[in-house]
Amino acid sequence: MAKTIVSFLFCLALALAGALQPARAGEAHKTFTIGISQFPSTMHPDFDDMVAKTLVLSTALRPMTVHDAAWRPICMLCVEIPSYENGLAKDETYKDGKETKPGIAATYTLKPDLFWGDGTPVTTKDILFAWEIGKNPKSGVGNGEFFAKDIRTIEAKDDRTFTIHFSKRQCSFAQIDDFYPLPAHLEKKIFEKDPASYMRRTLYATAPATAGLYFGPYVVSKLDQGAAITLARNPYWKGEKPAFDKVVFRTIENSAALSAALLAGDIDYIAGELGLTLDEAISFEKRLNRTKPGQFKTIYKPGLTYEHIDLNLDQPPFDDVTVRQALMYAMNRKALNDQMFDGRQPIALSDVNPLDTVYAGDVTQYPYDPQKAGALLDAAGWKMKPDGFRYGKDGQKLSITLSTTAGNKSRELIEQAIQADWRAVGIDVSISNQPARVLFGDTMRKRSFRGGVMYAWLSSPQNIPKTTLYSTMIPTEANNYAGQNYTGYNNPVMDKIIDDMEVVCEKDKNLALWHDLQEIYATDLPALPLYYRANSYFIPVWLHGLVPTGHMNPSTLWIENWSASP
C-alpha cells in the first residue's frame, strides 16, 4: 500500500512540475525554499546538536571560529585568530590552590558592525553571558566541559575585545567553534531565574521568531513546528547583502516525497547536508536529468560524516564487548555498500574518516563472518535453541530493538538488511523508528533508548571526539543531560588519550595518540561503525556561490555569498 501511495504522489508531482515552474521563475527568486529531511528539536545553538539545526541557524547565527570549504580554520566573528605569531596568544601561569599551572591567554576582537536583529549591538556582554550559560552545571549545554573546564576565565577589555584564559596549553586552543554569542539583553533574566529549566524557557524555544535572538544575514520570522522555518533578511546586517528576501527550510522527512517536491517545484534545492542519501541520489539524478534536463547540477561531496549504530552500554547484552564484536562480524557491510551505494561509501573502521589527516587504516577490522559471530555469541553465553533464536543462561531470548530517523528510506532499508543479518545468527531484532526531532531530543539526550540507534555524526577536521567518548560527557540527570556520550562509554585509557591529544602537539606523537584512539575504538566498539558517507547536492543552475564543505560547518554559513541569475 505504501508503495502505491508514493507512486501516486510521484506521478502527481511530475504532472504539476511544468505548471509550477513558471510561477517560481516569475517570483525572480525572492524566496528561496530549501528542502531538508529533519526538523530541529530546538533553535538554541547550545542544545541538542543536530545537522538540521546547524544548517538552519547558520543563516542567522555564527560561531566565533569555523573551518572553511578548504578546511582551513578561520574567524567568523573575530578580526583575527589568536596565535603566538601575531601576539594575540601568550603563555601564562596561574595558581590553582597551592599549585602553579600553565595556561594560555588568547585575545579575540569582534568584527565591527555586528547587530542582533532588533538593532542591539553584539558585544562582549553577549560573550560573557554565553560563557555563563555554558559553564553552569545546571544548564545542560552539550559541550559544557569546554566552557567549565577548558576556560578558566574570560576578561572583557571593552565592548569588542576579550581575552580567554585557558586552563591548559592546548594544541588547537584558538579554535572555539562551539562558542556562539548569546543575546544577554533578551536571555539573561530568563537564564538567571532558573538555569536548570532554561533549556525549556529560553526564547529560542518559546518565541523563536524573536528577531533579537539572531545577528546573521537572516532572522527567523516564522516557525511551523515540524514543517517549516521561514527566515527574513536581518535589517541590521552590515555584511554582504543576501540575495533572497526570504529563505524557507521545509522539512519533508520522507525521502521519496522530498525528491517529488523538487521535481514539482515546491522547493528550489535539496540540502546536501541533510537531503538524499547516496543510493537515492544516484537514482534521482538520472530521473532529474531526464525530466528537468539542464535545470540542475549535481555535486557528490565526500565528507566527514560517520554513519554508525549507538548502543546503550549500560544495558545487557551491549555491556559485553564480546557481543558487540559478534554484532560487527554478523553484519555484511560490504554487501550493503555494493548493493545500495555502488561501492562508493567506504566501510567505517572507527569514528575517524579516511579524508582526515589523522586517519589510521591499520586497526582491528570486522569482515563479514557469521560463523565467527556465532562462536563469539556462544562464548558470551548466548546459545542457539531449536527455534532458531539464542537464549542466555537465565532463559531470556537475545532480543535487540533497532531505531533510526523515521522516513529515511535508505536507513530503513539498511535496518532491514541488518535485521536479516543478525536474525541469521539467532538474534531477534525489532524495528522502532522515531522522527528526528524526537530521536535527537529526549530519546538520545536522556539516553532513554534500550537498543541500537543508527544515525550519523558530522565532524570538523581533526576534531577530538571528547564530547562523544569522554567519560564525563555521559548525559545524566545530575548534569542536566549535558554531553554527547550517549552510549555511556567509560574507559579511563580513552580518557587519558583524549587528554593527551589536547596538549601533545608534536606531529608524530600526536598522530600516535590518534592511532591509539582509533584502535581502542575498533576494539571496544562504543558504537558499531557502518560507513563513511558522501553527500549529494542538487543545485538549480540559476543558483551561484553555494560551496559544499564536507564537514560540520555547513554551506549556509556563507549564504550571503549566494546569488541568483534572473
Side-chain angles (χ1 to χ4, degrees):
M1 185 65 174
K3 289 183 180 179
T4 303
I5 293 172
V6 170
S7 298
F8 171 77
L9 289 174
F10 180 69
C11 292
L12 179 62
L14 286 175
L16 291 173
L20 292 176
Q21 192 63 34
R24 296 206 62 81
E27 294 172 3
H29 312 303
K30 292 181 179 179
T31 298
F32 186 57
T33 304
I34 302 173
I36 58 176
S37 60
Q38 298 175 11
F39 193 88
S41 59
T42 178
M43 294 303 290
H44 198 294
D46 287 348
F47 303 120
D48 293 356
D49 286 321
M50 291 179 65
V51 174
K53 183 188 71 173
T54 303
L55 193 64
V56 175
L57 277 185
S58 291
T59 68
L61 286 175
R62 303 286 161 84
M64 286 296 301
T65 62
V66 299
H67 286 80
D68 65 12
W71 295 23
R72 298 169 301 197
I74 63 168
C75 266
M76 281 236 88
L77 302 184
C78 46
V79 174
E80 190 175 7
I81 292 183
S83 69
Y84 293 107
E85 290 74 19
N86 63 22
L88 296 176
K90 297 180 180 179
D91 288 337
E92 64 180 3
T93 58
Y94 65 96
K95 286 287 187 181
D96 184 9
K98 294 183 179 180
E99 187 178 357
T100 299
K101 292 185 175 181
I104 298 175
T107 299
Y108 300 79
T109 298
L110 292 170
K111 291 179 178 178
D113 297 330
L114 292 173
F115 292 91
W116 297 101
D118 57 8
T120 304
V122 178
T123 71
T124 50
K125 291 180 182 177
D126 303 311
I127 297 293
L128 292 172
F129 173 58
W131 177 53
E132 182 183 347
I133 293 175
K135 70 176 180 176
N136 192 305
K138 296 180 179 180
S139 67
V141 166
N143 194 5
E145 186 98 3
F146 164 71
F147 293 101
K149 294 187 178 180
D150 290 358
I151 296 176
R152 182 167 59 86
T153 189
I154 300 180
E155 174 189 2
K157 308 269 186 182
D158 52 43
D159 282 349
R160 288 179 49 215
T161 302
F162 62 98
T163 298
I164 297 180
H165 297 273
F166 291 100
S167 60
K168 52 187 173 183
R169 293 178 185 167
Q170 300 183 59
C171 306
S172 302
F173 65 91
Q175 282 297 119
I176 50 174
D177 296 6
D178 289 338
F179 207 133
Y180 289 80
L182 293 172
H185 66 292
L186 296 178
E187 293 277 284
K188 191 174 180 65
K189 289 183 179 179
I190 299 173
F191 175 74
E192 290 177 341
K193 184 177 181 180
D194 180 20
S197 64
Y198 169 67
M199 186 187 305
R200 299 190 304 273
R201 296 182 300 102
T202 170
L203 292 176
Y204 287 103
T206 62
T210 303
L213 297 174
Y214 313 99
F215 59 80
Y218 291 95
V219 298
V220 174
S221 60
K222 184 181 180 182
L223 188 145
D224 297 319
Q225 189 63 40
I229 298 172
T230 302
L231 299 105
R233 281 198 183 112
N234 177 1
Y236 299 98
W237 171 254
K238 304 300 181 183
E240 187 74 25
K241 183 180 179 180
F244 311 104
D245 292 342
K246 291 183 179 180
V247 174
V248 179
F249 287 88
R250 183 179 165 198
T251 299
I252 306 173
E253 293 181 338
N254 182 282
S255 51
L258 184 62
S259 304
L262 187 68
L263 289 169
D266 294 339
I267 59 177
D268 297 302
Y269 161 60
I270 296 176
E273 293 90 348
L274 197 65
L276 301 180
T277 54
L278 182 62
D279 58 315
E280 296 164 337
I282 293 170
S283 175
F284 181 62
E285 182 184 12
K286 297 174 183 176
R287 188 184 309 154
L288 190 64
N289 290 339
R290 185 173 63 252
T291 58
K292 302 285 183 181
Q295 295 185 34
F296 291 88
K297 56 183 176 181
T298 305
I299 297 175
Y300 292 98
K301 179 70 175 181
L304 302 182
T305 305
Y306 164 59
E307 194 83 17
H308 63 284
I309 298 174
D310 266 7
L311 306 172
N312 193 324
L313 304 186
D314 295 338
Q315 304 290 327
F318 308 124
D319 55 348
D320 186 344
V321 67
T322 304
V323 172
R324 302 198 295 271
Q325 292 172 345
L327 294 176
M328 287 298 300
Y329 281 116
M331 285 190 293
N332 195 344
R333 295 176 295 160
K334 184 179 185 304
L336 271 175
N337 183 32
D338 291 343
Q339 294 169 15
M340 292 191 63
F341 307 119
D342 198 25
R344 301 187 193 187
Q345 296 198 146
I347 293 172
L349 306 185
S350 72
D351 60 335
V352 180
N353 195 291
L355 296 174
D356 211 323
T357 57
V358 294
Y359 171 76
D362 57 341
V363 298
T364 297
Q365 300 185 26
Y366 298 89
Y368 179 54
D369 191 338
Q371 289 187 335
K372 189 164 187 176
L376 288 170
L377 291 171
D378 285 338
W382 297 97
K383 303 297 184 181
M384 188 78 81
K385 297 294 184 180
D387 64 357
F389 292 104
R390 292 182 178 272
Y391 294 82
K393 295 178 182 179
D394 57 359
Q396 184 176 2
K397 183 190 286 188
L398 180 54
S399 299
I400 294 174
T401 299
L402 194 57
S403 304
T404 192
T405 49
N408 186 309
K409 181 182 176 182
S410 179
R411 282 179 174 160
E412 290 172 348
L413 289 173
I414 292 169
E415 273 183 315
Q416 293 168 22
I418 293 173
Q419 181 184 41
D421 285 345
W422 287 352
R423 173 65 184 84
V425 296
I427 302 171
D428 182 28
V429 181
S430 60
I431 291 175
S432 178
N433 297 333
Q434 296 179 344
R437 64 184 182 278
V438 177
L439 186 65
F440 299 126
D442 283 355
T443 299
M444 298 302 291
R445 190 172 64 85
K446 293 187 176 181
R447 302 186 64 233
S448 60
F449 65 101
R450 292 293 176 265
V453 179
M454 180 168 59
Y455 67 103
W457 282 124
L458 183 58
S459 66
S460 57
Q462 299 182 32
N463 180 55
I464 298 174
K466 187 169 187 175
T467 63
T468 58
L469 295 178
Y470 206 75
S471 60
T472 60
M473 301 301 284
I474 300 172
T476 64
E477 186 176 1
N479 66 16
N480 202 10
Y481 304 103
Q484 298 172 306
N485 187 348
Y486 301 135
T487 66
Y489 182 62
N490 187 343
N491 184 342
V493 177
M494 182 67 84
D495 285 354
K496 178 65 165 55
I497 289 173
I498 290 173
D499 284 338
D500 289 346
M501 288 170 71
E502 293 180 332
V503 298
V504 176
C505 306
E506 295 86 352
K507 185 176 181 180
D508 291 346
K509 293 180 179 179
N510 189 267
L511 281 174
L513 290 168
W514 274 105
H515 182 279
D516 291 345
L517 180 144
Q518 291 167 75
E519 176 57 38
I520 292 175
Y521 191 103
T523 304
D524 277 6
L525 296 173
L528 306 183
L530 294 178
Y531 49 85
Y532 304 112
R533 208 171 75 196
N535 292 330
S536 54
Y537 295 74
F538 296 95
I539 304 172
V541 294
W542 50 260
L543 179 68
H544 310 284
L546 190 157
V547 181
T549 67
H551 54 72
M552 68 181 294
N553 300 132
S555 56
T556 47
L557 278 170
W558 295 272
I559 196 169
E560 64 270 27
N561 297 331
W562 298 4
S563 62
S565 300

